[in-house]
Amino acid sequence: MSEHTVSSYDEELSGIAGRIAEMGGLAESIVTDAVTALITQDLDLAQATIGRDHRLDDLMHDIEMRNVLVIARRQPMGQDLREIMAATRIANDLERVGDMAKNVAKRVIAIDSDLKSKTLAIGVEHMTELALAQLKAVLDAYTRKDAEEAVKVRERDAEIDAIYTSLFRELLTYMMEDPRNITQCAHLLFCAKNIERIGDHATNIAENVYYMVTGKRLLDDRPRMDETGVEDKENA
Amino acid sequence: MSEHTVSSYDEELSGIAGRIAEMGGLAESIVTDAVTALITQDLDLAQATIGRDHRLDDLMHDIEMRNVLVIARRQPMGQDLREIMAATRIANDLERVGDMAKNVAKRVIAIDSDLKSKTLAIGVEHMTELALAQLKAVLDAYTRKDAEEAVKVRERDAEIDAIYTSLFRELLTYMMEDPRNITQCAHLLFCAKNIERIGDHATNIAENVYYMVTGKRLLDDRPRMDETGVEDKENA
């Protein structure tokens, strides 16, 4: 294999990592905008957020196609193959983070009224901050190939689940207090669920980073619960 | 290329299609059990359903790994490459259908009381029947490489969305009538959403079948709405 070929292979791999970083930055920004729109009831921002995930879709398809070409051209094995497969899966999770944010933005338009409670807004904001911090931490772990940090991210998801549980209960309480709150709170239940699931996607990414670096799967011994013992997960 | 090699390649491709068929059958059966457990409030069946999606996860990872090996060995192009990529994506959607069913089964345990309304049970059952019929139709379209049928499946998703919308409204009405219904109905909102999303996964599969057969992407001009104009979608 000529040096040129080797260098071009490295470029292919780093190109994929660069696109994952771009997707990560974009996903974080869309989540931030969607939740800001929710908290401030900014319908224009919500509307603007809804279209922004197309770029995530495009990047995901681009990464997928590049990875197929790299596999066909190079027949990678071991660590290299794990890197490529992890990138495909991480791109998929980041695209779904964008979907979650879009769902929240659409609910903002459906709600179309101020949030009934300041406590509620603080809860949603706090859960979003944690979810975004998780996303940032796991993408750093991906870039640095840091399996230990990936494990930590996965363990911290329990904090997000705990906040979700308390928000779920609070929303039910508002519904019981006044039937006029019910429609708004029903939409907010789904918003909270969408944000909680951003945390799940960060966990999925953490598991893929761990596998990419170590070649081993994390055992599923993590305690995961939300309200009344319901874990509502994907890829779980 | 020797005849043996050609035949072995065909075997690889048909092996992948066979595994998709197995995943499809399994996903349908898990959905049926989860919703039966919900309607009849059968906690044992719900508990038994929760563990059954592991096999879907295993099959998905197996399909993914086989596809990578086929791509590395054969460097497929055109129709062959599209078939392999479609299989990976379809496996992913079927695995998520299993997750949706598992979410419903977990809610059954959280609800742990009879459904308040016969109408509600009929609505949930009807939506599930439609979602399962969609899943079956789209997997037939995949086996027969029938792009036209895939388009029809995609169009029919609007029926499931319409039932979901009416269930959503009905659930809010029950909540408003009696605050004691609120907790159960909140869980049922999520159950209904999970079933509605099984329809979305059938739609995703339909789009992948269409792409696999024709090499073209279906344009996103399908009208898709649920309650109060909120489309809550993944991969949308």
Side-chain angles (χ1 to χ4, degrees):
Chain A
M1 204 179 273
S2 76
E3 243 182 60
H4 174 75
T5 314
V6 173
S7 140
S8 151
Y9 188 14
D10 286 347
E11 275 165 26
E12 281 171 8
L13 291 180
S14 69
I16 291 165
R19 268 171 188 77
I20 294 283
E22 185 182 347
M23 281 190 83
L26 187 55
E28 284 171 30
S29 145
I30 296 176
V31 172
T32 305
D33 283 358
V35 176
T36 304
L38 177 67
I39 305 284
T40 61
Q41 208 45 44
D42 183 337
L43 298 190
D44 292 336
L45 181 58
Q47 198 63 60
T49 306
I50 289 168
R52 283 186 65 209
D53 78 322
H54 285 307
R55 175 84 185 132
L56 281 178
D57 294 0
D58 292 346
L59 280 166
M60 181 189 71
H61 284 118
D62 182 53
I63 288 169
E64 194 177 46
M65 192 45 80
R66 275 167 191 270
N67 290 354
V68 165
L69 291 177
V70 173
I71 291 168
R73 262 196 231 124
R74 312 285 185 173
Q75 289 99 49
M77 306 277 286
Q79 165 82 15
D80 284 349
L81 179 57
R82 288 203 306 274
E83 265 183 47
I84 291 164
M85 292 186 71
T88 305
R89 290 181 191 142
I90 292 170
N92 204 278
D93 275 294
L94 290 173
E95 192 265 339
R96 283 158 70 187
V97 167
D99 287 338
M100 300 298 103
K102 185 163 70 172
N103 289 344
V104 170
K106 284 174 180 165
R107 298 272 170 193
V108 175
I109 294 164
I111 293 172
D112 195 14
S113 66
D114 287 336
L115 288 193
K116 292 282 183 292
S117 134
K118 190 81 193 154
T119 333
L120 217 56
I122 292 170
V124 168
E125 254 183 327
H126 183 42
M127 185 162 66
T128 309
E129 276 162 18
L130 280 186
L132 285 173
Q134 288 281 82
L135 210 52
K136 203 174 156 9
V138 83
L139 291 170
D140 285 350
Y142 168 72
T143 308
R144 287 185 284 107
K145 299 185 183 169
D146 184 342
E148 228 171 283
E149 179 59 26
V151 173
K152 282 184 197 156
V153 167
R154 188 168 176 266
E155 280 164 1
R156 278 199 302 265
D157 188 49
E159 290 174 43
I160 296 177
D161 290 352
I163 299 176
Y164 172 73
T165 303
S166 87
L167 273 175
F168 180 89
R169 289 191 184 139
E170 202 178 334
L171 283 164
L172 294 199
T173 308
Y174 285 115
M175 287 173 157
M176 287 170 196
E177 275 170 15
D178 187 345
R180 285 169 299 179
N181 294 336
I182 285 177
T183 303
Q184 183 186 66
C185 288
H187 287 302
L188 285 173
L189 275 179
F190 283 107
C191 288
K193 192 54 166 172
N194 276 300
I195 297 166
E196 187 261 345
R197 279 167 61 209
I198 292 171
D200 293 341
H201 288 298
T203 300
N204 288 345
I205 295 172
E207 289 168 0
N208 278 309
V209 169
Y210 186 88
Y211 177 70
M212 173 181 90
V213 178
T214 66
K216 287 177 207 147
R217 299 224 163 267
L218 276 167
L219 288 174
D220 201 6
D221 53 0
R222 195 168 55 98
R224 289 183 305 181
M225 285 289 155
D226 68 19
E227 87 284 355
T228 61
V230 177
E231 313 166 42
D232 211 23
K233 304 279 169 180
E234 296 193 60
N235 290 354
Chain B
M1 204 181 272
S2 76
E3 242 181 60
H4 174 77
T5 313
V6 173
S7 140
S8 151
Y9 188 13
D10 286 346
E11 275 164 26
E12 281 172 8
L13 290 180
S14 70
I16 291 166
R19 266 170 188 78
I20 294 283
E22 185 182 347
M23 282 190 82
L26 188 55
E28 285 171 30
S29 145
I30 297 175
V31 172
T32 304
D33 283 358
V35 175
T36 304
L38 177 67
I39 304 285
T40 61
Q41 206 48 39
D42 182 338
L43 298 191
D44 292 335
L45 181 58
Q47 198 63 59
T49 306
I50 289 168
R52 284 186 65 210
D53 78 322
H54 285 307
R55 175 83 186 132
L56 281 178
D57 294 1
D58 292 345
L59 281 166
M60 181 188 72
H61 283 119
D62 181 53
I63 289 169
E64 193 177 47
M65 192 44 81
R66 276 167 189 271
N67 290 353
V68 165
L69 291 176
V70 174
I71 292 169
R73 263 197 229 123
R74 312 285 184 171
Q75 289 99 48
M77 305 277 286
Q79 165 81 13
D80 284 348
L81 180 57
R82 289 202 307 274
E83 265 182 48
I84 292 164
M85 292 185 71
T88 306
R89 290 180 190 143
I90 291 170
N92 205 278
D93 275 295
L94 290 173
E95 191 265 339
R96 284 158 70 188
V97 167
D99 288 337
M100 300 298 103
K102 185 164 69 172
N103 289 343
V104 170
K106 284 176 181 165
R107 298 273 170 194
V108 175
I109 294 162
I111 292 172
D112 195 14
S113 65
D114 288 335
L115 288 193
K116 291 283 183 289
S117 136
K118 190 79 193 154
T119 334
L120 218 56
I122 292 169
V124 168
E125 255 184 325
H126 183 42
M127 185 161 68
T128 308
E129 277 162 18
L130 280 185
L132 285 173
Q134 288 281 83
L135 210 52
K136 203 174 155 8
V138 82
L139 291 169
D140 286 351
Y142 168 71
T143 308
R144 289 185 282 105
K145 298 185 184 169
D146 185 341
E148 229 171 283
E149 178 59 25
V151 173
K152 283 183 196 155
V153 167
R154 189 168 176 264
E155 280 165 1
R156 278 199 301 265
D157 188 48
E159 290 175 42
I160 296 176
D161 290 351
I163 298 175
Y164 172 73
T165 303
S166 89
L167 274 175
F168 180 89
R169 289 192 183 138
E170 201 178 333
L171 284 164
L172 293 199
T173 308
Y174 284 115
M175 288 171 156
M176 288 169 194
E177 276 171 13
D178 187 345
R180 285 170 298 178
N181 294 336
I182 284 176
T183 303
Q184 182 185 68
C185 287
H187 287 302
L188 286 173
L189 275 179
F190 283 108
C191 289
K193 191 54 163 172
N194 276 300
I195 297 166
E196 187 261 344
R197 278 167 61 207
I198 292 171
D200 294 340
H201 289 298
T203 301
N204 287 346
I205 295 173
E207 288 169 0
N208 278 309
V209 170
Y210 186 89
Y211 176 71
M212 172 182 91
V213 178
T214 65
K216 286 177 208 147
R217 299 225 163 267
L218 277 167
L219 287 174
D220 202 6
D221 53 0
R222 195 167 55 96
R224 289 185 304 181
M225 286 290 157
D226 66 20
E227 86 284 354
T228 60
V230 177
E231 311 167 45
D232 211 22
K233 303 280 169 180
E234 297 192 61
N235 289 354

